[in-house]
Amino acid sequence: METVTIGVDTLKRVIHNLENAVQVCHQVDNSQGDDYDKTYPYATGYSRSAMTSAIIDLNNLITK
């Protein structure tokens, strides 16, 4: 089995970004208020961005 050495700061950043995305998803409000940060489209985009970033970071670790 191959192993990869990862800096704690990198791992913390990936975890932090994913935790933020989960929090954004939990805060979605189904009402039609003016708070765009709590809409499904915002949560979807935010989560997609966090997952894409995590994939890039993890792939970079593999290819180093």
Side-chain angles (χ1 to χ4, degrees):
M1 171 181 10
E2 278 187 75
T3 61
V4 176
T5 302
I6 180 172
V8 172
D9 57 328
T10 301
L11 189 55
K12 283 183 178 182
R13 183 181 66 243
V14 171
I15 292 168
H16 178 73
N17 288 342
L18 292 172
E19 286 175 338
N20 283 346
V22 169
Q23 187 63 30
V24 167
C25 289
H26 279 297
Q27 292 175 351
V28 168
D29 182 2
N30 203 21
S31 68
Q32 298 297 324
D34 291 335
D35 196 358
Y36 185 74
D37 293 10
K38 296 187 181 191
T39 64
Y40 286 110
Y42 179 83
T44 301
Y46 194 99
S47 297
R48 180 176 43 217
S49 176
M51 290 183 285
T52 300
S53 176
I55 290 168
I56 290 168
D57 287 342
L58 294 172
N59 277 324
N60 285 338
L61 292 169
I62 292 171
T63 59
K64 283 187 178 181

